[in-house]
């Protein structure tokens, strides 16, 4: 039996887990991916809709010379300060949610929508919006190595960021499926994504699964 509405998947994983690579694989399979982290960056880029409220709440010095959010300065401001982080999230999250729904509404009839949400585990609101949750997971040491290689951050800085994210066990606890992205090459990771797509999407829509 076909679903009454297109499948809405929630995708999450810690920094350096390979979540973005999985999102790209899902897009290749036909999903419309709504990347909430990309939306956040757009909102805080020069001319972004969130900047006036951020400047009012945190001060004009949080905006850099290019007219964008000074992300390094904001990380320092909110790190280890739950009240400050909550103030920032109170500005960003409603704007992100509105834009995410606008983008999802652009999906073609019957097209699967994937919400790529780094804070999915922490958000009951987001979890209520999706039919299935896919978690991309790997050891912390692998996360650190990947982020250091791609960003040049010091390992200690990466570990601090990981410490501010939901624990691996909490992410896995909300998952309908977990892809362990460790010891896999790109082809192997894409194969796992394709297998899950066949199981969740094609089978549930009555498409023959080979």
């Amino acid at each position: 039996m076909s679903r009454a509405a297109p499948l809405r998947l929630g995708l999450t994983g810690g920094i350096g887990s390979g979540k973005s690579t999985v999102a790209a694989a899902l897009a290749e399979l036909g999903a419309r991916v709504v990347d909430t982290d990309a939306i956040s960056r757009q909102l805080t880029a020069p001319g972004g809709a969130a900047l006036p409220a951020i400047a009012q709440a945190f001060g004009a010095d949080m905006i850099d010379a290019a007219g964008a959010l000074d992300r390094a300065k904001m990380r320092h401001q909110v790190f280890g300060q739950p009240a400050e982080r909550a103030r920032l999230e109170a500005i960003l999250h409603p704007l992100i949610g509105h834009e995410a729904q606008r983008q999802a509404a652009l999906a073609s009839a019957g097209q699967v929508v994937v919400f790529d949400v780094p804070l999915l585990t922490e958000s009951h609101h987001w979890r209520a919006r999706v039919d299935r949750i896919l978690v991309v997971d790997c050891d912390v040491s692998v996360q650190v190595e990947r982020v250091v290689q791609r960003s040049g951050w010091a390992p200690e800085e990466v570990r601090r960021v990981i410490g501010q994210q939901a624990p691996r066990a909490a992410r896995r606890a909300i998952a309908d499926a977990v892809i362990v992205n460790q010891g896999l090459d790109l082809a192997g990771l894409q194969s796992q994504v394709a297998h899950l797509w066949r199981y969740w999407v094609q089978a549930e829509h009555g498409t023959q699964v080979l």
Side-chain angles (χ1 to χ4, degrees):
M1 180 179 296
S2 298
R3 297 181 62 91
L7 190 66
R8 294 162 75 90
L9 299 181
L11 172 65
T12 196
I15 185 172
S17 64
K19 176 175 59 65
S20 296
T21 305
V22 171
L26 289 166
E28 285 290 324
L29 290 166
R32 180 172 189 85
V33 176
V34 177
D35 184 341
T36 61
D37 200 39
I39 292 171
S40 177
R41 290 194 296 271
Q42 292 165 6
L43 290 168
T44 55
L51 293 178
I54 289 174
Q56 183 176 13
F58 293 95
D61 62 337
M62 282 295 173
I63 311 303
D64 66 19
L69 174 67
D70 188 325
R71 300 178 75 88
K73 186 176 290 186
M74 182 59 78
R75 278 198 303 271
H76 179 76
Q77 175 78 16
V78 303
F79 180 76
Q81 301 290 335
E84 293 293 273
R85 182 170 180 172
R87 279 209 301 157
L88 178 62
E89 291 175 348
I91 295 169
L92 288 175
H93 286 186
L95 295 171
I96 293 170
H98 177 78
E99 176 61 15
Q101 291 304 317
R102 187 194 70 80
Q103 292 185 18
L106 299 175
S108 304
Q111 185 178 21
V112 174
V113 177
V114 175
F115 292 98
D116 180 344
V117 185
L119 298 179
L120 184 66
T121 306
E122 296 91 332
S123 172
H124 294 285
H125 173 73
W126 271 111
R127 298 207 304 271
R129 288 183 171 186
V130 299
D131 303 305
R132 300 282 189 278
I133 294 174
L134 171 59
V135 169
V136 186
D137 187 45
C138 64
D139 288 344
V140 170
S141 60
V142 176
Q143 292 180 260
V144 173
E145 180 181 357
R146 287 173 178 163
V147 178
V148 168
Q149 287 179 350
R150 79 186 186 201
S151 70
W153 291 4
E156 296 76 15
E157 185 175 4
V158 181
R159 289 184 182 276
R160 283 197 297 269
V161 172
I162 291 171
Q164 292 292 301
Q165 297 182 331
R168 291 175 64 197
R171 282 195 294 268
R172 294 175 73 109
I174 68 163
D176 294 291
V178 176
I179 290 179
V180 180
N181 182 24
Q182 190 168 314
L184 294 174
D185 60 12
L186 179 59
L189 180 60
Q190 291 172 332
S191 176
Q192 290 208 16
V193 175
H195 176 78
L196 188 63
W197 180 270
R198 289 193 298 270
Y199 181 72
W200 269 356
V201 179
Q202 295 177 332
E204 293 198 16
H205 283 78
T207 304
Q208 183 179 5
V209 180
L210 301 179

